[in-house]
Amino acid sequence: MGRRHYSDMEIENDKIYCGDSLKLLPEFPDKSVDDSFTSPPYNRLRNDKYDEYNDKIEDYFGFLCSFTDQLLRITKRYVIINIQKTMYNKVDVFRFMGKYADKIQEVFVWEKSNPMPAAGNAITNAYEFFFFLSDSPVRSNSTYVKNHITTNVYGDGPKDHKAVMNPEVALWVIKNFTNEGDLILDPFMGYGTTAVCSKALGRHYVGIEISPKYCEEAERRIKD
């Protein structure tokens, strides 16, 4: 386990900080991580239930901007943010795209092969966005990498956390757009998918998670 020393804060590699990311991120020094990869709460209101967090944010647009601004300050290369557009957050997601139009270098689409069907004749939501924010164009580690990936919905997640990313997607993104030895920040670590996949691919991670229970479960997954 390595340590990176800074005048403002000492960031420890391969560590998950248990706390509120909106309070902890301002303590991170400028350009102190190589990449950021995260999936924040989607503000779906009725679908996601957590022990320490209520997925109902009055100012969701402000929430998105607050952590995105911090990640752009902290991150050297790519800020990769996974968001699902829903009937509850679509206006804020579109506003987000407009606000950061000069920073969004690429938009990747994650297509779900088995999405939950919508009720009646409503349109089934079968995809999610990955926004790549950076000051320079996105380059992959191999040739002919498309801005599109298709997997199934992750069915092996815990019962008390319904929004765990399919590790296949996280592995694909981290493998193609980060380098071995990189330090990858996830300020919404959840059950630790970013950490597990980073470690498996020879990267370092640093995470923030507000739920003590999820921190413990993430550490267990990393050890396993």
Side-chain angles (χ1 to χ4, degrees):
M1 181 178 295
R3 293 175 182 267
R4 299 187 175 201
H5 297 275
Y6 298 94
S7 57
D8 300 305
M9 175 182 177
E10 181 182 280
I11 299 175
E12 186 173 342
N13 289 1
D14 306 323
K15 178 180 176 64
I16 299 176
Y17 295 88
C18 192
D20 186 341
S21 61
L22 298 187
K23 296 179 180 178
L24 290 177
L25 285 176
E27 299 182 17
F28 280 58
D30 294 352
K31 307 304 179 187
S32 53
V33 304
D34 296 301
D35 305 281
S36 293
F37 176 72
T38 194
S39 183
Y42 294 166
N43 215 33
R44 297 196 297 184
L45 303 186
R46 62 185 174 85
N47 292 335
D48 296 334
K49 307 298 182 184
Y50 309 101
D51 291 340
E52 306 288 337
Y53 176 78
N54 178 15
D55 194 1
K56 183 177 180 181
I57 304 172
E58 296 297 334
D59 181 13
Y60 188 64
F61 175 70
F63 164 75
L64 292 176
C65 295
S66 62
F67 76 78
T68 299
D69 287 343
Q70 290 296 331
L71 294 183
L72 287 170
R73 177 186 63 80
I74 294 167
T75 307
K76 297 176 184 177
R77 188 164 53 243
Y78 300 142
V79 173
I80 307 169
I81 302 174
N82 164 229
I83 301 177
Q84 181 182 45
K85 174 184 65 65
T86 72
M87 63 179 294
Y88 302 107
N89 70 13
K90 64 179 182 179
V91 172
D92 295 314
V93 171
F94 293 147
R95 288 178 66 194
F96 175 86
M97 295 173 71
K99 176 178 173 61
Y100 295 98
D102 62 330
K103 294 290 186 181
I104 297 176
Q105 299 290 343
E106 187 60 79
V107 180
F108 283 65
V109 172
W110 170 24
E111 178 192 16
K112 301 174 182 178
S113 58
N114 59 337
M116 181 178 295
N121 62 351
I123 304 300
T124 294
N125 195 353
Y127 70 91
E128 298 187 17
F129 294 123
F130 279 87
F131 297 112
F132 279 62
L133 290 78
S134 178
D135 290 326
S136 58
V138 177
R139 297 288 184 264
S140 67
N141 294 333
S142 56
T143 59
Y144 199 56
V145 173
K146 300 178 181 180
N147 55 2
H148 173 274
I149 182 173
T150 302
T151 74
N152 63 306
V153 176
Y154 189 51
D156 295 330
K159 294 181 179 180
D160 61 344
H161 195 314
K162 301 301 183 182
V164 176
M165 182 184 294
N166 188 328
E168 183 180 344
V169 179
L171 286 167
W172 183 83
V173 174
I174 293 170
K175 179 180 179 180
N176 280 295
F177 301 102
T178 70
N179 301 313
E180 288 191 23
D182 276 1
L183 178 60
I184 301 174
L185 167 63
D186 186 348
F188 303 97
M189 183 60 82
Y191 263 68
T193 300
T194 297
V196 171
C197 295
S198 296
K199 183 178 179 181
L201 293 171
R203 280 70 165 165
H204 295 289
Y205 64 86
V206 58
I208 304 173
E209 171 53 44
I210 198 170
S211 166
K213 177 180 179 180
Y214 297 164
C215 286
E216 292 179 3
E217 289 299 315
E219 296 289 358
R220 179 188 60 77
R221 287 184 68 199
I222 293 165
K223 292 178 181 178
D224 289 344

